[in-house]
Amino acid sequence: MKVTNPLGVHARPAAMLVQTAAKFKSEIWLSKDGNEVNGKSMLGVMTLAAEMGSTVIIKADGPDEDKAIEALARVFEIRFGEA
């Protein structure tokens, strides 16, 4: 997913991603530039340093993986609720 909000994935968007990921049983990973982190870890998501224009890859493995990917993609699509 492309990060399109001007401030990138700072603390509030990272919290949105982690809260969304936590709703699913599947294991979830986010990666940027070869750095893969646990999508349910606030610290992990913050370490991606995903600035505007960067691409974050969402992966999931488990019983609800498709729904998890869709939900996380939606968070990116709504630009983390920021204008």
Side-chain angles (χ1 to χ4, degrees), residues 64-82:
D64 52 4
E65 59 192 35
D66 291 335
K67 289 183 181 185
I69 291 171
E70 288 173 18
L72 288 164
R74 182 73 183 132
V75 174
F76 279 91
E77 289 168 3
I78 64 166
R79 297 172 57 163
F80 311 102
E82 298 178 352

Side-chain angles (χ1 to χ4, degrees), residues 38-83:
N38 182 339
K40 296 181 182 182
S41 164
M42 182 70 174
L43 183 58
V45 175
M46 291 292 297
T47 63
L48 288 178
E51 67 281 349
M52 182 178 179
S54 62
T55 299
V56 175
I57 298 168
I58 305 166
K59 295 185 202 173
D61 183 38
D64 52 4
E65 59 192 35
D66 291 335
K67 289 183 181 185
I69 291 171
E70 288 173 18
L72 288 164
R74 182 73 183 132
V75 174
F76 279 91
E77 289 168 3
I78 64 166
R79 297 172 57 163
F80 311 102
E82 298 178 352

